[in-house]
Amino acid sequence: MPTDTSPGALPVRAPLALVPGEPVLDVVIPVFNEEKDLGPCVRRLHDHLTRTFPYPFRITVADNASTDRTPEIAAGLAAALDCVRSTRLEEKGRGRALRTVWSGSDAPVLAYMDVDLSTDLNALLPLVAPLISGHSDLAIGTRLARSSRVVRGAKREFVSRAYNLLLRSSLAARFSDAQCGFKAIRREVAERLLPLVEDTGWFFDTELLVLAERAGLRIHEVPVDWVDDPDSTVHIVKTATEDLKGVWRVGRALAVGALPLDRLARPFGDDPRDRTAVPGVDGGLARQLIGFCTVGVLSTLLYLVLYSAFRGGAGPQLANGIALLLSAVANTAANRRLTFGVRGRERAVRHQAQGLVVFGIGLALTSGSLAALAAATPDPAHGTELAVLITANLAATVLRFLLLRAWVFPERRGTDPRTSTDPRTSTSKEGR
């Protein structure tokens, strides 16, 4: 996966400082062999922006190695219309086109839309307004909101909903519509996100959104009116296959912590929680307790399932040891990432080793409880065993949290665990 080489953190999110005469918005239209639709599309978009958009704008036609008259038409439009320009790429790929134009643009808000203009242009100003005002980092049009009005065939409807369901189930995505060709992003965010995005085709914007969401950036959604283009040249099977490969690649990278997303989780300074520090109260404790309890409940359920599964073929002590070991490894990994915000592979082995020490203490508590139960009752019922183990695990859980927080994942004094650059996770430019 690509790595982020941009120095420093993202700045505080704020309204744009507009410069007279310079474009606020750069709308990119990626095209491949669109000689029929390109002219009407650009003229219609140019007319709409001229009449309704209150700031200077630019329209950029990004030609993806077209073999028809598309480059000639794009050049003609750039010569005939103010605020229109064209650029030529010798390789195909919508993602490649967007990366190239966005990386070189001087506009503070960058957007793109499909050449067929399936999305009603009245949604364009609501799309970019939260980015101009400083409210959001990215904005997307969604065809799946209740207030959206969509006209398209059953096959495309099924494919779209199935794909977004896949993203929710596999990558825990919370945005509603990944594939709508109607998106915008603030330039300073794009500068940090683009080096992390590997795909150059149709999966590009999905990958962009997943990484942005995982980094804690704000994504604004705008319900749109959308009419399917029956002449669309998108190959559904091929695109779906590439998307599935992208989902697997991104999911694997996120699972192993291979992406430096902490560089994007900007300490905005506009979060009210950053301005309401209470003397004597650790602001990160409540968040860590919630995360630890959530992980604890899940790992306890995993432990009980494993114990019950191994109990039939082994004695209670051996079943307890195996179940506790497996659930402890999962518990340490989950707490490392979710509760204490440690990402990447640095010190992962050390953290697991320290977690196993904590596991040993839990094992002693639960094993001792089982031994005491066996001494008191030679043949205890299975339900009684579980009740004793749950009680012992509750005691071990309290001790586990204290040890994890103070010993395994200690926070540096005087830092906010939500926003600090921790030596466990940060990497200097020299070491990257």
Coordinates of all heavy atoms in Angstrom, one line a residue, residues 370-425:
L370 N -11.8 -22.5 39.9 CA -12.2 -23.8 39.6 C -11.7 -24.9 40.6 O -12.4 -25.8 41.0 CB -11.8 -24.2 38.2 CG -12.5 -23.6 37.0 CD1 -11.8 -24.0 35.7 CD2 -14.0 -24.1 37.0
A371 N -10.5 -24.7 41.0 CA -9.9 -25.6 42.0 C -10.7 -25.5 43.3 O -11.0 -26.5 44.0 CB -8.4 -25.3 42.2
A372 N -11.0 -24.3 43.7 CA -11.8 -24.1 45.0 C -13.2 -24.7 44.9 O -13.7 -25.4 45.8 CB -11.9 -22.6 45.3
L373 N -13.8 -24.6 43.7 CA -15.1 -25.2 43.4 C -15.0 -26.7 43.5 O -15.9 -27.4 44.1 CB -15.7 -24.8 42.1 CG -17.0 -25.4 41.7 CD1 -18.1 -25.0 42.6 CD2 -17.4 -25.0 40.3
A374 N -14.0 -27.3 42.9 CA -13.8 -28.7 42.9 C -13.6 -29.3 44.3 O -14.0 -30.4 44.7 CB -12.6 -29.1 42.0
A375 N -12.9 -28.5 45.1 CA -12.6 -28.9 46.5 C -13.9 -28.9 47.3 O -14.1 -29.7 48.2 CB -11.6 -28.0 47.2
A376 N -14.8 -27.9 47.0 CA -16.0 -27.8 47.8 C -17.1 -28.7 47.3 O -17.9 -29.3 48.0 CB -16.5 -26.3 47.7
T377 N -17.1 -29.0 45.9 CA -18.1 -29.9 45.3 C -17.4 -30.8 44.4 O -17.0 -30.3 43.3 CB -19.2 -29.0 44.6 OG1 -19.7 -28.0 45.5 CG2 -20.3 -29.9 44.1
P378 N -17.3 -32.1 44.7 CA -16.6 -33.0 43.8 C -17.1 -33.1 42.4 O -16.3 -33.2 41.4 CB -16.8 -34.3 44.5 CG -17.0 -34.0 45.9 CD -17.8 -32.7 45.9
D379 N -18.4 -32.9 42.2 CA -19.0 -33.0 40.8 C -19.9 -31.9 40.6 O -21.1 -32.1 40.5 CB -19.7 -34.4 40.6 CG -20.1 -34.6 39.2 OD1 -19.5 -34.0 38.3 OD2 -21.0 -35.4 39.0
P380 N -19.4 -30.7 40.3 CA -20.3 -29.5 40.2 C -21.0 -29.5 38.8 O -20.5 -30.1 37.8 CB -19.3 -28.3 40.2 CG -18.0 -28.9 39.8 CD -18.0 -30.3 40.3
A381 N -22.2 -28.9 38.8 CA -22.9 -28.8 37.6 C -22.2 -27.8 36.6 O -21.5 -26.9 37.0 CB -24.3 -28.3 37.9
H382 N -22.5 -28.0 35.3 CA -21.9 -27.2 34.3 C -22.3 -25.7 34.5 O -21.5 -24.8 34.4 CB -22.3 -27.6 32.9 CG -21.7 -26.8 31.8 ND1 -20.3 -26.8 31.6 CD2 -22.2 -26.1 30.8 CE1 -20.0 -26.0 30.6 NE2 -21.2 -25.6 30.1
G383 N -23.5 -25.5 34.9 CA -24.0 -24.1 35.1 C -23.3 -23.4 36.3 O -23.0 -22.2 36.3
T384 N -23.0 -24.2 37.3 CA -22.3 -23.7 38.5 C -20.8 -23.3 38.1 O -20.3 -22.3 38.5 CB -22.2 -24.8 39.6 OG1 -23.6 -25.2 39.9 CG2 -21.5 -24.2 40.8
E385 N -20.2 -24.2 37.3 CA -18.9 -23.9 36.8 C -18.9 -22.5 36.0 O -18.0 -21.7 36.3 CB -18.4 -25.0 35.8 CG -17.9 -26.2 36.5 CD -17.3 -27.2 35.5 OE1 -17.4 -27.0 34.3 OE2 -16.7 -28.2 35.9
L386 N -19.8 -22.3 35.1 CA -19.9 -21.1 34.4 C -20.1 -19.9 35.3 O -19.5 -18.8 35.1 CB -21.0 -21.2 33.3 CG -20.8 -22.1 32.2 CD1 -22.0 -22.1 31.2 CD2 -19.5 -21.8 31.4
A387 N -21.0 -20.1 36.3 CA -21.2 -18.9 37.2 C -19.9 -18.5 38.0 O -19.6 -17.4 38.1 CB -22.3 -19.3 38.2
V388 N -19.2 -19.6 38.4 CA -17.9 -19.3 39.1 C -16.9 -18.6 38.2 O -16.2 -17.6 38.6 CB -17.4 -20.6 39.7 CG1 -15.9 -20.4 40.2 CG2 -18.2 -21.1 40.8
L389 N -16.9 -19.1 37.0 CA -15.9 -18.5 36.0 C -16.3 -17.1 35.7 O -15.4 -16.3 35.5 CB -15.9 -19.4 34.8 CG -15.2 -20.8 34.9 CD1 -15.4 -21.6 33.6 CD2 -13.7 -20.5 35.1
I390 N -17.6 -16.8 35.5 CA -18.0 -15.4 35.2 C -17.6 -14.5 36.3 O -17.1 -13.4 36.1 CB -19.5 -15.4 34.9 CG1 -19.8 -16.1 33.6 CG2 -20.0 -13.9 34.9 CD1 -21.3 -16.2 33.4
T391 N -17.8 -14.9 37.6 CA -17.4 -14.1 38.7 C -15.9 -13.8 38.8 O -15.4 -12.7 39.0 CB -17.9 -14.8 40.0 OG1 -19.3 -15.0 40.0 CG2 -17.5 -13.9 41.2
A392 N -15.2 -14.9 38.5 CA -13.7 -14.8 38.5 C -13.2 -13.9 37.4 O -12.3 -13.1 37.5 CB -13.0 -16.2 38.4
N393 N -13.9 -14.0 36.2 CA -13.5 -13.2 35.1 C -13.8 -11.7 35.3 O -13.1 -10.9 34.8 CB -14.2 -13.7 33.8 CG -13.4 -14.7 33.1 OD1 -12.4 -14.3 32.5 ND2 -13.8 -16.0 33.1
L394 N -14.9 -11.4 36.1 CA -15.2 -10.0 36.4 C -14.1 -9.4 37.2 O -13.7 -8.3 37.0 CB -16.5 -9.9 37.1 CG -17.8 -10.2 36.2 CD1 -19.0 -10.2 37.1 CD2 -17.9 -9.2 35.1
A395 N -13.6 -10.2 38.2 CA -12.5 -9.7 39.0 C -11.2 -9.5 38.2 O -10.5 -8.5 38.3 CB -12.2 -10.6 40.2
A396 N -11.0 -10.5 37.3 CA -9.8 -10.4 36.4 C -9.9 -9.3 35.4 O -8.9 -8.7 35.1 CB -9.6 -11.7 35.7
T397 N -11.1 -8.9 35.0 CA -11.4 -7.9 34.1 C -11.0 -6.5 34.6 O -10.3 -5.7 34.0 CB -12.8 -7.8 33.6 OG1 -13.1 -9.1 32.9 CG2 -13.1 -6.7 32.7
V398 N -11.3 -6.3 35.9 CA -11.0 -5.0 36.5 C -9.5 -4.9 36.6 O -8.9 -3.8 36.2 CB -11.6 -4.9 37.9 CG1 -11.1 -3.6 38.6 CG2 -13.1 -4.9 37.8
L399 N -8.8 -5.9 37.0 CA -7.4 -5.9 37.1 C -6.7 -5.8 35.7 O -5.7 -5.1 35.5 CB -6.9 -7.2 37.8 CG -5.4 -7.3 38.0 CD1 -4.9 -6.1 38.9 CD2 -5.0 -8.6 38.7
R400 N -7.3 -6.4 34.7 CA -6.8 -6.4 33.3 C -6.8 -4.9 32.8 O -5.9 -4.5 32.2 CB -7.6 -7.3 32.4 CG -7.1 -7.3 31.0 CD -7.9 -8.1 30.1 NE -8.0 -9.5 30.5 CZ -9.1 -10.1 30.9 NH1 -10.3 -9.5 30.8 NH2 -9.1 -11.4 31.3
F401 N -7.9 -4.2 33.1 CA -8.0 -2.8 32.6 C -6.9 -2.0 33.2 O -6.3 -1.2 32.5 CB -9.4 -2.3 32.9 CG -9.5 -0.8 32.5 CD1 -9.6 -0.4 31.2 CD2 -9.5 0.2 33.5 CE1 -9.7 0.9 30.8 CE2 -9.6 1.5 33.1 CZ -9.7 1.9 31.8
L402 N -6.7 -2.1 34.5 CA -5.7 -1.3 35.2 C -4.3 -1.6 34.7 O -3.5 -0.7 34.5 CB -5.8 -1.6 36.7 CG -7.1 -1.1 37.4 CD1 -7.1 -1.5 38.9 CD2 -7.4 0.3 37.3
L403 N -4.0 -2.9 34.5 CA -2.7 -3.2 34.0 C -2.5 -2.8 32.5 O -1.4 -2.3 32.2 CB -2.5 -4.8 34.1 CG -2.3 -5.3 35.5 CD1 -2.3 -6.8 35.5 CD2 -1.1 -4.7 36.1
L404 N -3.6 -2.9 31.7 CA -3.4 -2.5 30.3 C -3.2 -1.0 30.2 O -2.4 -0.5 29.5 CB -4.7 -2.9 29.5 CG -4.9 -4.4 29.2 CD1 -6.2 -4.5 28.5 CD2 -3.8 -4.9 28.4
R405 N -3.9 -0.3 31.0 CA -3.8 1.2 31.0 C -2.5 1.7 31.6 O -1.9 2.7 31.0 CB -5.0 1.8 31.7 CG -5.2 3.3 31.5 CD -6.6 3.7 32.0 NE -6.9 5.1 31.5 CZ -6.6 6.2 32.1 NH1 -6.0 6.2 33.3 NH2 -6.9 7.4 31.6
A406 N -2.1 1.1 32.7 CA -0.9 1.7 33.3 C 0.4 1.0 32.9 O 1.5 1.7 33.0 CB -1.0 1.4 34.9
W407 N 0.4 -0.2 32.3 CA 1.6 -0.9 32.0 C 1.8 -1.2 30.5 O 2.8 -0.9 29.9 CB 1.7 -2.2 32.8 CG 2.9 -3.0 32.6 CD1 4.2 -2.6 32.6 CD2 2.9 -4.4 32.3 NE1 5.0 -3.6 32.3 CE2 4.3 -4.8 32.1 CE3 1.9 -5.4 32.2 CZ2 4.7 -6.1 31.9 CZ3 2.3 -6.7 32.0 CH2 3.7 -7.0 31.8
V408 N 0.7 -1.8 29.9 CA 0.8 -2.3 28.5 C 0.7 -1.1 27.6 O 1.5 -0.9 26.7 CB -0.2 -3.3 28.2 CG1 0.0 -3.8 26.8 CG2 -0.2 -4.5 29.2
F409 N -0.3 -0.2 27.8 CA -0.5 0.9 26.9 C -0.5 2.2 27.7 O -1.5 3.0 27.7 CB -1.8 0.8 26.1 CG -2.0 -0.5 25.5 CD1 -2.9 -1.5 25.9 CD2 -1.2 -0.8 24.3 CE1 -3.1 -2.7 25.3 CE2 -1.4 -2.1 23.7 CZ -2.3 -3.0 24.2
P410 N 0.6 2.6 28.4 CA 0.6 3.8 29.2 C 0.5 5.0 28.3 O 1.2 5.1 27.2 CB 1.9 3.7 29.9 CG 2.8 2.9 29.0 CD 1.9 1.9 28.4
E411 N -0.3 6.0 28.7 CA -0.3 7.3 28.0 C 0.8 8.2 28.5 O 1.1 8.2 29.7 CB -1.7 8.0 28.2 CG -2.8 7.2 27.6 CD -2.8 7.3 26.0 OE1 -2.0 8.1 25.5 OE2 -3.5 6.5 25.4
R412 N 1.3 9.1 27.6 CA 2.3 10.1 28.1 C 1.6 11.1 28.9 O 0.5 11.6 28.6 CB 2.9 10.7 26.9 CG 3.8 9.8 26.1 CD 4.7 10.6 25.1 NE 3.9 11.4 24.2 CZ 4.4 12.2 23.3 NH1 5.7 12.4 23.3 NH2 3.6 12.9 22.5
R413 N 2.2 11.5 30.0 CA 1.6 12.5 30.9 C 1.4 13.8 30.1 O 2.2 14.3 29.4 CB 2.5 12.7 32.1 CG 1.9 13.6 33.2 CD 2.8 13.7 34.3 NE 3.1 12.4 34.9 CZ 2.3 11.8 35.8 NH1 1.2 12.4 36.2 NH2 2.7 10.6 36.2
G414 N 0.2 14.4 30.3 CA -0.1 15.7 29.7 C -0.6 15.7 28.3 O -0.7 16.7 27.6
T415 N -1.0 14.5 27.8 CA -1.5 14.4 26.4 C -2.9 13.9 26.4 O -3.3 13.2 27.3 CB -0.6 13.5 25.5 OG1 -0.6 12.2 26.1 CG2 0.8 14.0 25.5
D416 N -3.6 14.2 25.4 CA -5.0 13.7 25.2 C -4.9 12.4 24.3 O -4.4 12.5 23.2 CB -5.8 14.8 24.4 CG -7.2 14.4 24.3 OD1 -7.5 13.2 24.4 OD2 -8.1 15.2 24.0
P417 N -5.3 11.3 24.9 CA -5.2 10.1 24.2 C -6.0 10.0 22.9 O -5.7 9.2 22.0 CB -5.7 9.0 25.2 CG -6.6 9.8 26.1 CD -6.0 11.1 26.2
R418 N -6.9 10.9 22.7 CA -7.7 10.9 21.4 C -6.9 11.6 20.3 O -7.1 11.3 19.1 CB -9.0 11.6 21.6 CG -10.0 10.9 22.4 CD -11.4 11.6 22.4 NE -11.3 13.0 22.9 CZ -11.3 14.1 22.2 NH1 -11.5 14.0 20.9 NH2 -11.3 15.3 22.7
T419 N -6.0 12.5 20.7 CA -5.4 13.3 19.6 C -3.9 13.4 19.7 O -3.3 14.0 18.8 CB -5.9 14.8 19.7 OG1 -5.6 15.3 21.0 CG2 -7.4 14.9 19.6
S420 N -3.3 12.9 20.7 CA -1.9 13.0 20.8 C -1.1 12.2 19.8 O -1.6 11.2 19.3 CB -1.4 12.6 22.2 OG -1.7 11.2 22.5
T421 N 0.1 12.6 19.5 CA 1.0 11.8 18.6 C 1.8 10.9 19.6 O 2.8 11.4 20.2 CB 1.9 12.7 17.8 OG1 1.0 13.5 17.0 CG2 2.7 11.9 16.9
D422 N 1.5 9.7 19.7 CA 2.1 8.8 20.7 C 3.3 8.1 20.1 O 3.2 7.7 18.9 CB 1.0 7.7 21.1 CG 1.5 7.0 22.3 OD1 2.5 6.3 22.3 OD2 0.8 7.0 23.4
P423 N 4.4 7.9 20.8 CA 5.5 7.3 20.3 C 5.2 5.9 19.9 O 6.0 5.3 19.1 CB 6.6 7.4 21.4 CG 5.8 7.6 22.7 CD 4.6 8.4 22.2
R424 N 4.2 5.3 20.4 CA 3.8 3.9 20.0 C 3.3 3.9 18.5 O 3.5 2.9 17.9 CB 2.7 3.3 20.9 CG 3.0 3.2 22.3 CD 1.9 2.5 23.0 NE 0.6 3.2 22.8 CZ 0.1 4.0 23.7 NH1 0.7 4.3 24.8 NH2 -1.1 4.6 23.4
T425 N 2.7 5.0 18.1 CA 2.1 5.0 16.8 C 2.8 5.9 15.7 O 2.6 5.7 14.6 CB 0.6 5.4 16.9 OG1 0.6 6.7 17.4 CG2 -0.1 4.4 17.8

